[in-house]
Amino acid sequence: MKIGFIGLGNMGGPMALNLLKAGHEVSVFDLVPALVQKLTEAGAKAFASPADLAAQEIDVLVTMLPASAHVRSVYLGEQGILSTVKPEVLLVDSSTIDPQTARDVSAAAAKQGNLMVDAPVSGGTGGAQAGTLTFMVGGTEAAYERAKSVLQNMGKNIVYCGGTGNGQVAKIANNMLLGISMVGAAEAMNLGVSLGMDAKILAGIINTSSGRCWSTEVNNPYPGVVETAPASRDYVGGFGTDLMLKDLGLATEAAKSVKAPVTMGATAQQLYQTFSNLGYGGLDFSAIIKMLSKQ
Amino acid sequence: MKIGFIGLGNMGGPMALNLLKAGHEVSVFDLVPALVQKLTEAGAKAFASPADLAAQEIDVLVTMLPASAHVRSVYLGEQGILSTVKPEVLLVDSSTIDPQTARDVSAAAAKQGNLMVDAPVSGGTGGAQAGTLTFMVGGTEAAYERAKSVLQNMGKNIVYCGGTGNGQVAKIANNMLLGISMVGAAEAMNLGVSLGMDAKILAGIINTSSGRCWSTEVNNPYPGVVETAPASRDYVGGFGTDLMLKDLGLATEAAKSVKAPVTMGATAQQLYQTFSNLGYGGLDFSAIIKMLSKQ
Amino acid sequence: MKIGFIGLGNMGGPMALNLLKAGHEVSVFDLVPALVQKLTEAGAKAFASPADLAAQEIDVLVTMLPASAHVRSVYLGEQGILSTVKPEVLLVDSSTIDPQTARDVSAAAAKQGNLMVDAPVSGGTGGAQAGTLTFMVGGTEAAYERAKSVLQNMGKNIVYCGGTGNGQVAKIANNMLLGISMVGAAEAMNLGVSLGMDAKILAGIINTSSGRCWSTEVNNPYPGVVETAPASRDYVGGFGTDLMLKDLGLATEAAKSVKAPVTMGATAQQLYQTFSNLGYGGLDFSAIIKMLSKQ
Amino acid sequence: MKIGFIGLGNMGGPMALNLLKAGHEVSVFDLVPALVQKLTEAGAKAFASPADLAAQEIDVLVTMLPASAHVRSVYLGEQGILSTVKPEVLLVDSSTIDPQTARDVSAAAAKQGNLMVDAPVSGGTGGAQAGTLTFMVGGTEAAYERAKSVLQNMGKNIVYCGGTGNGQVAKIANNMLLGISMVGAAEAMNLGVSLGMDAKILAGIINTSSGRCWSTEVNNPYPGVVETAPASRDYVGGFGTDLMLKDLGLATEAAKSVKAPVTMGATAQQLYQTFSNLGYGGLDFSAIIKMLSKQ
């Protein structure tokens, strides 16, 4: 297939490389020349703007951008995708943004005949490189079916979430709960150890009881409990606190728009913000347990 | 074996019955005659006070009481167990109380030569009747080994948590995290549905992602998602909001004693209190999702 | 003076009337004909669009709009103010919006030579009618000086807050603290009364101690403590819970943009959202105390 | 008058000295000899135990102790006050403790004929030395009237709060609101300054608006805003974070006992605990603003 790819950062770069590896013809655009160069060296063709790239003969166009404002401008701006793209091109936005923007841009695309899905990912830069990302896909079933075969070159789980925007909804709902569970896990582990329990024994009990969650089983915040977790390597790598903050910001903002109370989600957001300001924004979000101990 | 049992309420009653069924000789005490009668009809002998019962020839003495104050008075009071019990009797307290009281009473027992374990349970009245409770046991390994064979007549998982009081620590740490995860699950499910997702699809995605926890997989608070969950039968049965409140109260109080911050735990406690005051204290704690929806 | 006024709702309508009463020549625009009619009956001239109105010979143009999106479109849209307004016209936006939008619009105005101030108000519809509003003004000192004489026809306190956008900053910072203090006052009053104190005696002590705040002295949430407070008339009138919610939404959003933790502000926002969803969004925000009592 | 005084620490010591200065005959007890010596050098007589002291011919007996457990043991213990005190002696407990303990001890005193008031103070060590404390007094009106004349030698405001325990209720309700307001003030000041406002201008606006409170007017947490506030001398002196923590602990515990939700109070408690663990427990509680800034 002929695939366009816009946004070649930490996530988008390796994703586009995986498309090349899978044998697709890939055209790319990014504002940063060095990022573009990496891809052209691997065999991609570069174009001068989103509009230039979108004007080519392509089957699918994938975008991977930092935030809602970029998505709006790359799709709807004067030099944007929708100004030149042909109606048969399938549009796939893998950025993590608010559901409303996803829905607005999809509606604009639909108006001129383009199918579009929102397909945010989880799995981090490691998953992007290994091609093991999870994609949460929102859009019509027809669009999902077309997107699936492309996404499978970049990820392992391609999950259909229902109508347009629901990929974003699934991602922020899941990550808000993740953010909450992690602070909860940190508080529970710190409490138990402070009261005299061995951390591994406590984790073992929780993981066979009703408190168990991904944050205690896989990414336990207490050092030494799970060998493969960031907690056991000084919280380096993993899912950065500042990335969790971004997702919690999207979640609480979306919650406001539909008047859904998220007291725990909002509290978690503020605690991660406090922690980030202490200088730890680059550590895995499980490092929040550091803020609970006596210093 | 000859076993004494004090506290024959919703939990203690069926637990004592299971000891009788297992062929033990059981002696009982409770302040409420009707509760005592149920057990004597099933073959137990009744005694007039904890001290009277503790003075008998018994191997093990189990207590199941509502709160710390009762445990203190039943063990340490003038007519209490320690005033008459023989040094070879193993003491097992299955009440859910604060770790400090558990440690104080155990220390008093040790002084006069009695082994004692704290062994709070999870599994609810259903588990008590079916003999499928989980016991979280704190005490010396020797005491744990002796207690195990008796507890196995009343439960399925007998988990060793380390030294005295650690059974209580494990229980409150686990249940605090459970209480937090449930509010988080309720917020995430309500947010996703409010933003347009199907509840079952959302739960499916969370349960295969990093947001997964017991509160989304087994006891999902959204009606209709998990057929066997209280949410699918108007939140009747299950683990009552007011019982969760009791455990969160123990957790935040214990946290204060060791200066362990529990911002999410304390927030969850206050939200359940608010919900209980709205008149819902008797419903399963997953009903907290009702407080999030527009009415 | 010749003054234009756009946005004639509950606040803008009476404000424009006060300008007429003060003898100014007033030109108006609103999308709702009935609101326009009230003003034309009182002597104002009506125009067909913001651009039409802005094209007139006027000295000052005041806007009073519901939210940031309206301000952007009324100033920057195709039929917007900046498309026709003459450079000598002073622009005054009294809407309550986020500081960034205020700064963006002011910058656009400055580019074409117009002085502009942001001048959000406090004092409610009562203050708008009585001409006793407080204006918090952000902009250059020169712009503030010019705005002052006009604002004095609609308000009593005209407070200079520093550079552009600072009127909005002052308003959301103050109102966030107000929203927090009110929940705090409600919790403290409810706690004290639940523990056996007389509400008036408790309020008296707090008001002469370190807990005193506007929410205990002037707008005490406990019924019967302050005769003139909404609490003493079933929470009718006053500052609606949903308006407080709007301001807290602006505050937490602005906080996110500058990475300022606002744990208490965010918690208050979620509690008011929960309370609003229970059906009380139209009551004075002090009614939040109703959510604390046993029902 | 002949007055007994038990508990001669940072608060009790200077209070007892003020009674001596006022010409009373003062008998004292404390476990720490050095503290006793200070008072005997100033003219007091020392006794070997609370019971010994209480057995003397005295009119009034004042206690100033660290926590509920000490009050229980000093009054109700084997060598306690009630074991020897004569029925005509007025008992005054100035410790800050939970209302229930205050009521229990008063009831025990009443049983043997002693009038007793709870009379916790505010005003800190400075107020204790200067004799300008505020006393919040709970008890019968008769007991209050008798206590008043003695308390006036140690304080400036003697406030009657109603029945037994209400002195404690007033203190914890006020201080919980104070703790909440202070975090709110810190968040609002930090937010405003982060968004570009001058701290003094912002404080000035808040202090003439609905956000005003003791924490913005008198003890503003932003350095340099109020010259006499701890914030303007690196948060040294004032009311220590750990003392605020103690009072918030009493407040949330008392709230639990009467099922009064205190979401903001509990959140504030946890934030101060987090801040204290960062190593700042000895600074004035307004220093909590340090936890909000980027570092």
Side-chain angles (χ1 to χ4, degrees):
Chain A
M1 275 199 277
K2 296 179 177 175
I3 304 179
F5 206 109
I6 295 174
L8 305 168
N10 288 334
M11 294 297 293
M15 287 166 73
L17 278 174
N18 279 329
L19 290 176
L20 279 169
K21 281 182 204 159
H24 299 294
E25 206 170 291
V26 180
S27 305
V28 301
F29 170 76
D30 196 289
L31 288 170
V32 181
L35 297 177
V36 172
Q37 200 185 332
K38 271 196 202 170
L39 268 291
T40 52
E41 281 170 4
K45 265 187 259 182
F47 289 86
S49 74
D52 273 5
L53 194 162
Q56 308 305 312
E57 290 291 333
I58 48 176
D59 302 300
V60 179
L61 179 44
V62 184
T63 49
M64 188 61 172
L65 302 161
S68 300
H70 308 88
V71 173
R72 280 192 187 275
S73 111
V74 163
Y75 278 90
L76 310 179
E78 263 180 56
Q79 283 296 303
I81 291 168
L82 296 192
S83 69
T84 61
V85 74
K86 293 178 181 63
E88 61 274 16
V89 178
L90 172 69
L91 303 172
V92 177
D93 181 35
S94 280
S95 320
T96 294
I97 60 172
D98 68 281
Q100 194 52 51
T101 297
R103 285 166 181 164
D104 291 349
V105 174
S106 268
K111 253 195 193 161
Q112 53 182 73
N114 289 88
L115 282 181
M116 180 165 185
V117 296
D118 48 296
V121 305
S122 71
T125 54
Q129 285 158 17
T132 57
L133 293 168
T134 292
F135 285 89
M136 287 161 265
V137 186
T140 63
E141 286 204 48
Y144 163 69
E145 289 303 335
R146 275 190 62 193
K148 204 172 168 180
S149 60
V150 177
L151 298 176
Q152 278 167 337
N153 299 132
M154 302 182 283
K156 224 171 46 181
N157 301 304
I158 321 297
V159 191
Y160 184 51
C161 303
T164 299
N166 284 358
Q168 303 296 350
V169 173
K171 173 145 189 202
I172 61 178
N174 180 75
N175 281 17
M176 185 180 79
L177 179 49
L178 171 61
I180 292 168
S181 302
M182 183 54 86
V183 187
E187 291 182 359
M189 290 299 302
N190 181 59
L191 173 61
V193 172
S194 299
L195 286 165
M197 274 200 79
D198 175 80
K200 279 196 177 183
I201 293 179
L202 178 57
I205 291 167
I206 290 176
N207 287 338
T208 54
S209 305
S210 50
R212 73 176 157 78
C213 54
W214 185 90
S215 296
T216 54
E217 290 175 348
V218 178
N219 200 16
N220 197 295
Y222 204 92
V225 169
V226 175
E227 245 177 72
T228 54
S232 298
R233 48 172 200 268
D234 288 334
Y235 305 99
V236 171
F239 184 49
T241 296
D242 285 344
L243 292 172
M244 175 49 86
L245 254 181
K246 182 200 162 190
D247 290 359
L248 286 170
L250 288 170
T252 53
E253 193 61 13
K256 188 172 71 172
S257 74
V258 290
K259 302 184 185 305
V262 288
T263 308
M264 301 294 272
T267 302
Q269 178 184 3
Q270 300 302 327
L271 294 176
Y272 288 113
Q273 184 65 69
T274 304
F275 184 60
S276 175
N277 287 3
L278 290 172
Y280 298 115
L283 297 185
D284 183 73
F285 73 122
S286 64
I288 188 88
I289 199 173
K290 292 165 82 82
M291 200 166 71
L292 307 180
S293 21
K294 272 156 260 171
Q295 279 164 15
Chain B
M1 273 198 279
K2 295 180 177 173
I3 303 178
F5 205 109
I6 295 175
L8 304 169
N10 289 332
M11 293 297 295
M15 288 166 72
L17 277 175
N18 280 329
L19 290 175
L20 279 170
K21 280 183 205 159
H24 299 295
E25 206 170 293
V26 180
S27 305
V28 301
F29 171 76
D30 196 288
L31 288 171
V32 181
L35 296 176
V36 172
Q37 198 186 333
K38 270 195 202 171
L39 268 292
T40 50
E41 282 169 5
K45 266 187 257 178
F47 290 86
S49 75
D52 272 4
L53 195 162
Q56 308 306 311
E57 290 291 333
I58 49 176
D59 303 300
V60 179
L61 178 46
V62 183
T63 50
M64 187 61 173
L65 301 161
S68 300
H70 309 87
V71 173
R72 280 193 189 274
S73 110
V74 163
Y75 278 90
L76 312 178
E78 265 180 55
Q79 283 295 304
I81 292 167
L82 296 191
S83 70
T84 60
V85 74
K86 296 178 178 61
E88 62 273 15
V89 179
L90 172 69
L91 303 173
V92 176
D93 180 36
S94 280
S95 321
T96 294
I97 60 171
D98 68 280
Q100 195 51 51
T101 297
R103 286 166 180 163
D104 291 351
V105 173
S106 269
K111 256 195 191 161
Q112 54 183 73
N114 288 88
L115 281 181
M116 180 166 184
V117 295
D118 48 297
V121 305
S122 72
T125 53
Q129 285 158 17
T132 58
L133 293 168
T134 293
F135 286 87
M136 287 162 267
V137 186
T140 62
E141 285 205 48
Y144 163 69
E145 289 303 335
R146 275 190 62 195
K148 205 173 166 180
S149 59
V150 176
L151 298 177
Q152 277 166 336
N153 298 132
M154 302 182 283
K156 222 169 49 179
N157 302 302
I158 320 297
V159 191
Y160 184 52
C161 303
T164 299
N166 283 358
Q168 303 295 351
V169 173
K171 173 145 191 203
I172 62 178
N174 179 77
N175 280 17
M176 185 180 80
L177 179 48
L178 170 61
I180 292 168
S181 301
M182 182 54 86
V183 186
E187 290 183 359
M189 290 299 302
N190 181 59
L191 173 61
V193 172
S194 299
L195 285 166
M197 275 201 80
D198 175 80
K200 280 197 176 181
I201 294 178
L202 178 56
I205 291 167
I206 290 175
N207 287 339
T208 55
S209 304
S210 50
R212 72 176 158 79
C213 54
W214 186 89
S215 297
T216 56
E217 290 176 348
V218 177
N219 200 14
N220 197 294
Y222 204 92
V225 168
V226 175
E227 245 177 73
T228 53
S232 297
R233 49 174 199 266
D234 288 333
Y235 305 99
V236 172
F239 184 48
T241 296
D242 285 344
L243 291 171
M244 173 51 84
L245 255 179
K246 180 199 163 190
D247 290 359
L248 286 168
L250 288 170
T252 54
E253 193 62 11
K256 189 172 72 172
S257 74
V258 290
K259 302 182 186 304
V262 288
T263 309
M264 301 294 272
T267 301
Q269 177 184 3
Q270 300 301 328
L271 294 177
Y272 287 112
Q273 183 65 69
T274 304
F275 184 59
S276 175
N277 286 4
L278 290 172
Y280 299 115
L283 297 185
D284 182 73
F285 72 121
S286 64
I288 188 89
I289 199 174
K290 292 165 81 83
M291 200 167 70
L292 307 180
S293 22
K294 273 156 259 171
Q295 281 164 12
Chain C
M1 275 198 277
K2 295 178 177 175
I3 303 179
F5 206 110
I6 295 175
L8 305 169
N10 289 333
M11 294 296 294
M15 287 165 72
L17 277 174
N18 279 329
L19 290 176
L20 280 170
K21 280 183 205 159
H24 300 295
E25 205 171 295
V26 180
S27 304
V28 301
F29 169 77
D30 195 289
L31 287 170
V32 181
L35 297 176
V36 173
Q37 199 185 334
K38 270 195 203 169
L39 268 292
T40 51
E41 281 170 4
K45 264 187 259 180
F47 289 86
S49 75
D52 273 5
L53 194 162
Q56 308 306 311
E57 290 291 335
I58 48 177
D59 303 299
V60 179
L61 178 45
V62 184
T63 50
M64 188 62 172
L65 301 160
S68 299
H70 308 87
V71 172
R72 280 194 189 274
S73 113
V74 161
Y75 278 89
L76 310 178
E78 266 181 53
Q79 284 294 304
I81 292 166
L82 295 191
S83 69
T84 60
V85 75
K86 294 178 181 62
E88 62 273 15
V89 179
L90 171 70
L91 303 172
V92 176
D93 180 36
S94 281
S95 320
T96 294
I97 60 172
D98 67 281
Q100 194 51 51
T101 297
R103 285 165 182 165
D104 291 350
V105 173
S106 269
K111 254 195 192 161
Q112 53 183 72
N114 288 89
L115 282 181
M116 180 165 183
V117 295
D118 49 296
V121 304
S122 71
T125 52
Q129 285 157 16
T132 58
L133 295 168
T134 293
F135 286 87
M136 287 161 266
V137 186
T140 62
E141 287 205 46
Y144 164 67
E145 289 302 335
R146 274 190 60 194
K148 204 172 168 180
S149 60
V150 177
L151 297 176
Q152 279 166 337
N153 299 131
M154 303 182 283
K156 223 169 49 180
N157 302 304
I158 322 296
V159 190
Y160 184 53
C161 302
T164 299
N166 284 358
Q168 303 295 349
V169 173
K171 174 145 190 202
I172 63 179
N174 180 76
N175 280 17
M176 185 180 79
L177 179 49
L178 170 61
I180 293 167
S181 302
M182 182 54 85
V183 186
E187 290 183 359
M189 290 298 302
N190 181 59
L191 173 60
V193 172
S194 298
L195 286 166
M197 274 201 79
D198 175 80
K200 279 198 176 182
I201 293 178
L202 177 56
I205 291 166
I206 290 175
N207 287 338
T208 54
S209 304
S210 51
R212 73 176 156 79
C213 54
W214 186 89
S215 296
T216 55
E217 290 175 347
V218 177
N219 200 15
N220 197 296
Y222 205 90
V225 168
V226 175
E227 244 177 74
T228 55
S232 299
R233 50 173 198 266
D234 288 332
Y235 305 100
V236 172
F239 185 48
T241 296
D242 285 344
L243 291 172
M244 174 49 84
L245 255 181
K246 183 201 161 189
D247 289 359
L248 286 169
L250 288 170
T252 54
E253 195 60 14
K256 188 171 73 172
S257 74
V258 290
K259 302 183 186 305
V262 288
T263 309
M264 300 295 272
T267 301
Q269 179 185 2
Q270 300 301 328
L271 295 177
Y272 287 113
Q273 183 65 70
T274 304
F275 184 60
S276 176
N277 287 3
L278 290 172
Y280 299 115
L283 297 186
D284 183 73
F285 73 122
S286 64
I288 189 87
I289 199 173
K290 291 165 82 83
M291 200 166 72
L292 307 180
S293 22
K294 272 157 261 170
Q295 278 163 16
Chain D
M1 275 197 278
K2 296 179 177 176
I3 303 179
F5 205 110
I6 295 175
L8 304 170
N10 289 332
M11 294 297 295
M15 287 165 73
L17 278 174
N18 279 329
L19 290 175
L20 280 168
K21 280 183 205 158
H24 300 293
E25 204 172 295
V26 180
S27 305
V28 301
F29 171 78
D30 196 288
L31 288 171
V32 181
L35 296 177
V36 172
Q37 198 186 333
K38 269 195 203 171
L39 269 291
T40 50
E41 282 170 4
K45 266 187 258 180
F47 290 85
S49 75
D52 274 4
L53 194 161
Q56 307 307 310
E57 289 291 336
I58 50 177
D59 303 299
V60 179
L61 177 46
V62 184
T63 51
M64 187 62 172
L65 301 161
S68 300
H70 309 87
V71 172
R72 279 193 189 274
S73 110
V74 163
Y75 278 90
L76 310 178
E78 265 180 55
Q79 284 295 304
I81 291 168
L82 296 191
S83 68
T84 59
V85 74
K86 294 178 180 62
E88 62 273 16
V89 178
L90 172 69
L91 304 172
V92 176
D93 181 37
S94 281
S95 319
T96 294
I97 60 171
D98 67 280
Q100 193 52 51
T101 297
R103 286 166 182 163
D104 291 350
V105 174
S106 270
K111 255 195 192 161
Q112 53 184 73
N114 288 89
L115 280 182
M116 178 166 186
V117 296
D118 47 298
V121 304
S122 72
T125 52
Q129 285 157 17
T132 58
L133 294 169
T134 293
F135 287 87
M136 288 162 267
V137 186
T140 62
E141 285 204 49
Y144 164 69
E145 288 303 335
R146 274 190 60 193
K148 205 173 166 179
S149 61
V150 177
L151 298 176
Q152 278 167 337
N153 298 131
M154 303 182 283
K156 222 170 48 180
N157 301 302
I158 321 298
V159 190
Y160 183 51
C161 302
T164 299
N166 284 357
Q168 303 295 350
V169 173
K171 173 145 190 203
I172 63 179
N174 180 76
N175 280 17
M176 184 180 79
L177 179 49
L178 171 61
I180 293 168
S181 301
M182 182 54 87
V183 186
E187 291 184 1
M189 290 300 300
N190 181 59
L191 173 61
V193 172
S194 299
L195 285 166
M197 274 200 79
D198 175 80
K200 279 197 177 182
I201 294 178
L202 178 56
I205 290 167
I206 289 175
N207 287 338
T208 54
S209 304
S210 49
R212 71 176 158 78
C213 53
W214 186 88
S215 295
T216 56
E217 291 176 346
V218 177
N219 199 15
N220 197 295
Y222 205 92
V225 168
V226 175
E227 245 177 74
T228 54
S232 298
R233 50 173 198 265
D234 289 332
Y235 306 99
V236 172
F239 184 50
T241 296
D242 286 344
L243 292 172
M244 174 50 84
L245 255 179
K246 181 200 162 190
D247 290 358
L248 286 169
L250 289 171
T252 54
E253 195 60 13
K256 189 171 71 171
S257 74
V258 290
K259 302 182 185 306
V262 287
T263 309
M264 301 294 273
T267 302
Q269 179 186 2
Q270 300 300 327
L271 295 176
Y272 287 112
Q273 183 66 69
T274 304
F275 184 60
S276 175
N277 286 3
L278 290 171
Y280 299 115
L283 296 186
D284 182 73
F285 72 121
S286 64
I288 188 87
I289 199 171
K290 291 165 82 81
M291 199 166 72
L292 307 180
S293 23
K294 272 156 262 171
Q295 279 165 13

